[in-house]
Amino acid sequence: MPSNKSVSDAPITQFINCRILRDNELQREDLWVREGRILDPEKLFFDEQGYADKRVDCEGSIIAPGFIDVQINGGYGIDFSQASEDVSDGVSFVAKKILEHGVTSFCPTLVTSPPEVYHKVLPQVKVHDGGPHGAGVLGFHLEGPFISAEKKGAHPEKYLRTFKSGGLEHLMEVYGSLDDVAIVTLAPELPGSQSVVRELSQRGITVSLGEHRVLLLVSESVSVQPGRFHALSNPSVSAVVQFHHRDPGIVGLLTSDGIPAGRAVYYGMIADGIHTNPAALRIAHRAHPSGLVLVTDAITAMGLPPGRHTLGQQVIEIQGLHAYVAGTKTLSGSIATMDMCVRHFKQASGCSVQEALEAASLHPAQLLGISPKKGKLDYGSDADLVLLDEGLHVKATYISGEEVWRKGQ
Amino acid sequence: MRLVILDDYDLASEWAAKYIRNRIVQFKPSADRFFTLGLPTGSTPYGCYQKLIEYYRHGDISFKYVKTFNMDEYVGLPRAHPESYHSYMWNNFFKHIDIDPANAHILDGNAQNLEEECQAYEQKIAEAGGIELFVGGIGPDGHIAFNEPGSSLVSRTRVKTLAKDTIVANARFFGNDLFKVPTMALTVGVGTVMDAKEVMILITGAHKAFALYKAIEEGVNHMWTVSAFQQHPRTIFVCDEDATLELRVKTVKYFKGLMHVHNKLVDPVLSIKDQ
């Protein structure tokens, strides 16, 4: 009898022959799961006189908390920003496929779009738990349209906006609803942004400062203009700072002494080996290792086989890990999967296995304020797991203690 | 008394573990007939536990039909505290083997009524049919379990206030802060251990040498409570060279000369695979 049922009679699973990521290190410990959460086996033994119903032999695998991708624009031919009738199906399709990359939760990301798109797409997808059907949706990541025209990157300029007076109401007009939104990326140098940032954070939405040139502006103004700095000092804001490019100017912000004690700054990095210079990865990691959040920023072409693909208005050519605008050498976006990013990040930055894994699990969870429920293997944490081999290739993925993907099946 | 002297800590730990293994395998425990084992904590038995875990992992022994009774536990220390004896037993032994949690008994230092807890423990031992083999250690002051100097040699399980020596010796586990060390403990009595069919005392290290001398070369004395086992029909002391440093050369030579007899108890080493 597995337990005296004094606490619960739900079945107990014990993962053996594994190394688990806990307390910032890989420990040679068994992992116990009951009712979708990590269980304290010592309490089980002494309080309930319980033991496992089922043992899973991990054959020496590493067990890390499931990866969390907070910036992913689509994949497998699906574009989240496309205003179709079956956005929900598209998100679900991608959600299921990314289980193979060890991703157990994600934020479907919408690039700068006209209001009609937001009004159509946002209501179709709700925050929901993952499971055998796919990774959990933590909420949308709305990247734009309130970003700077100066460094718009791939965002269509005609849809960029500034805040009209009335900050948040204007935001609501554009987006329609913020109910299932987890992150909003905006440009803090836009006038009116401060009150918007405050109001968003009060609703529990993470605010991300978009585009690297803006960062330089912010980092300079942190010490020069106390008023502007207010956006970062809001206690409920954890700012995600993005840069897609080779400029390590972020160091100024990350190491700024203008950031108050106890406040965390996180920054997203695409470690696909193409979009971010390895030196930039190393510098950022060494400057502020605990704030580094790995993101895929994957585009529609992610997961598609090599060759030409017509995606919406574009023709993309996939060669290895590069996705070009067909017939050119212009990159159209990143197609690396999350596990590839983890491996590449480790190799390029020279960091440890645990640091690489935390950048894809613990840090995104902390950024979103959902740790330790997600992103950790503490007693009581959700049992969203990724089993990896020595080289950090995904062997199996679990959500709430249930196996949802296994290599070779 | 058998005095089994091995060259070093590792060999002493291994000899002790082999002995326990052989005793359990030979006993052929089953659902109707459990092997009852008394267990200690501390740095001395650590190596022995490691070897027993190894034997379990190789499939040579099973603890499925073994009932264990630990000697002692601090009073007032939260059970989940890393220095509690519950934590010690879980991390260093129970979590690695196949013992049924219902059969692993440790005194509850946080019980509402400590006296009742002690009496209930004696009752559980009696209901289990008594202890087949009680494994113990020795403190630098010659105590067995927490039966500090002056403890009655016929004592039973009870609450004890710890001696200064013991608190000082344990301070290293509490950040060297004497104020953090628990001052009371629940412990089996000298009489409780004497009731076991067989007693095995592990003693390693030079700092235990004087206590060993007092325990086996001097008389039975409640100031050195381990000496009580001179009056037990089946006692084995397993020690390393360093622990014999205060003994007479003649004693050591005599017992070393008997090693070929002692080694018959662990050679051949038995396995459930052969049954």
Side-chain angles (χ1 to χ4, degrees), chain A residues 307-380:
Chain A
R308 288 191 168 217
H309 304 273
T310 303
L311 302 166
Q313 306 299 327
Q314 292 190 295
V315 183
I316 308 279
E317 175 131 20
I318 297 178
Q319 292 169 20
L321 266 183
H322 292 76
Y324 300 108
V325 175
T328 74
K329 279 294 173 190
T330 306
L331 291 171
S332 66
S334 53
I335 56 170
T337 61
M338 184 56 106
D339 58 316
M340 285 179 198
C341 291
V342 170
R343 289 192 292 275
H344 179 77
F345 170 59
K346 176 176 184 299
Q347 185 243 313
S349 70
C351 71
S352 64
V353 168
Q354 45 270 38
E355 285 171 318
L357 295 173
E358 284 178 349
S361 57
L362 174 65
H363 298 167
Q366 287 171 330
L367 160 71
L368 293 174
I370 56 178
S371 166
K373 188 164 181 288
K374 299 268 187 226
K376 289 189 112 177
L377 296 179
D378 289 353
Y379 302 140

Side-chain angles (χ1 to χ4, degrees), chain A residues 115-265:
Chain A
E116 305 85 76
V117 170
Y118 297 115
H119 293 188
K120 188 159 181 126
V121 171
L122 291 183
Q124 291 191 50
V125 180
K126 304 284 167 213
V127 170
H128 62 264
D129 291 335
H133 53 274
V137 171
L138 299 169
F140 282 100
H141 176 166
L142 302 179
E143 200 189 337
F146 300 99
I147 54 179
S148 162
E150 282 173 330
K151 197 60 198 170
K152 58 179 170 44
H155 294 248
E157 181 152 12
K158 63 182 175 192
Y159 296 128
L160 297 182
R161 286 170 174 265
T162 57
F163 297 112
K164 293 205 244 182
S165 62
L168 193 72
E169 282 100 65
H170 181 208
L171 204 87
M172 294 297 286
E173 268 172 39
V174 172
Y175 293 139
S177 157
L178 288 174
D179 288 346
D180 295 276
V181 172
I183 309 175
V184 171
T185 293
L186 52 80
E189 84 277 19
L190 292 178
S193 66
Q194 285 173 64
S195 65
V196 170
V197 168
R198 236 190 332 269
E199 288 175 65
L200 284 173
S201 341
Q202 264 155 30
R203 284 167 174 241
I205 294 176
T206 301
V207 176
S208 154
L209 311 179
E211 301 303 288
H212 76 283
R213 261 201 215 157
V214 168
L215 302 178
L216 288 180
L217 201 56
V218 172
S219 67
E220 285 159 25
S221 66
V222 157
S223 49
V224 169
Q225 292 176 290
R228 166 133 330 277
F229 170 61
H230 193 75
L232 276 177
S233 74
N234 184 313
S236 60
V237 170
S238 37
V240 166
V241 152
Q242 301 183 28
F243 67 107
H244 308 272
H245 304 276
R246 298 158 183 261
D247 189 331
I250 190 168
V251 176
L253 175 66
L254 297 182
T255 54
S256 166
D257 55 8
I259 297 174
R263 295 283 300 100
V265 176

Side-chain angles (χ1 to χ4, degrees), chain A residues 14 28-30 32 40-51 55, chain B residues 79-80 84-91 94-95 99-102 104 106:
Chain A
Q14 181 187 3
R28 214 182 156 103
E29 289 286 348
D30 294 347
W32 296 65
D40 180 346
E42 190 177 346
K43 278 187 94 177
L44 175 71
F45 187 90
F46 289 124
D47 280 344
E48 301 181 49
Q49 292 171 352
Y51 48 90
R55 283 192 175 85
Chain B
R79 198 198 60 214
S84 81
Y85 288 169
H86 281 79
S87 291
Y88 177 100
M89 290 307 297
W90 167 254
N91 284 307
F94 295 148
K95 81 175 174 194
I99 189 165
D100 183 336
I106 308 180

Side-chain angles (χ1 to χ4, degrees), chain B residues 154-173:
Chain B
V154 294
S155 51
R156 311 302 305 183
T157 305
R158 67 218 185 287
V159 186
K160 283 292 283 186
T161 303
L162 304 184
K164 184 70 187 291
D165 266 1
T166 304
I167 292 177
V168 168
N170 286 346
R172 67 200 158 116
F173 300 123

Side-chain angles (χ1 to χ4, degrees), chain B residues 184-203:
Chain B
M184 296 206 297
L186 301 184
T187 178
V188 293
V190 181
T192 316
V193 183
M194 281 290 284
D195 280 352
K197 288 208 186 62
E198 185 174 14
V199 177
M200 182 164 83
I201 308 288
L202 305 178
I203 312 176

